[in-house]
Amino acid sequence: MADGDYESVLCVKPEVHVYRVPPRASNRGHRAAEWQLDQPAWSGRLRITSKGKMAFIKLEDKTTGELFAQAPVDQFPGIAVESVTDSSRYFVVRIEDGNGRGGFKLSSFLAAY
């Protein structure tokens, strides 16, 4: 990535909910029905940005803009974003915290379309 690359905002969703995703019991995929949908682990804003050839899904505090977590996306479909087998409104995101530690799986639900 060149130093001259600038960040573009591609999409903003002002209200999203994040859920902890339990480990898959089989290879059948993630199912939203297995999550505690009435108890989100976090709520805030989602921004999708791009810089160079990378996209970033950013979860931010909707008041302060503080970064909660982000998922770098270099290709889709890929390991950063997975579909959910029982809903088109939910998806699973492999996130990194603000310090670059990653590997966590959370699900996001876009409450605003």
Side-chain angles (χ1 to χ4, degrees), residues 18-109:
V18 174
Y19 305 93
R20 297 198 193 290
V21 176
R24 281 191 257 198
S26 68
N27 287 337
R28 65 180 162 83
H30 294 286
R31 293 177 39 86
E34 297 171 350
W35 308 337
Q36 296 177 336
L37 297 177
D38 60 336
Q39 298 175 14
W42 182 85
S43 294
R45 173 178 66 203
L46 177 140
R47 280 191 322 133
I48 301 175
T49 64
S50 68
K51 187 170 184 177
K53 294 186 178 197
M54 289 289 294
F56 299 89
I57 299 171
K58 297 182 178 188
L59 300 171
E60 304 168 334
D61 182 278
K62 58 184 163 186
T63 305
T64 66
E66 181 181 354
L67 182 66
F68 169 70
Q70 73 176 352
V73 181
D74 58 354
Q75 67 179 5
F76 182 80
I79 63 167
V81 180
E82 299 176 51
S83 61
V84 175
T85 60
D86 63 342
S87 175
S88 62
R89 300 186 320 166
Y90 297 88
F91 54 93
V92 176
V93 177
R94 185 177 304 270
I95 64 162
E96 295 178 351
D97 65 12
N99 298 317
R101 293 182 302 223
F104 305 104
K105 281 189 171 182
L106 294 177
S107 168
S108 295
F109 165 60

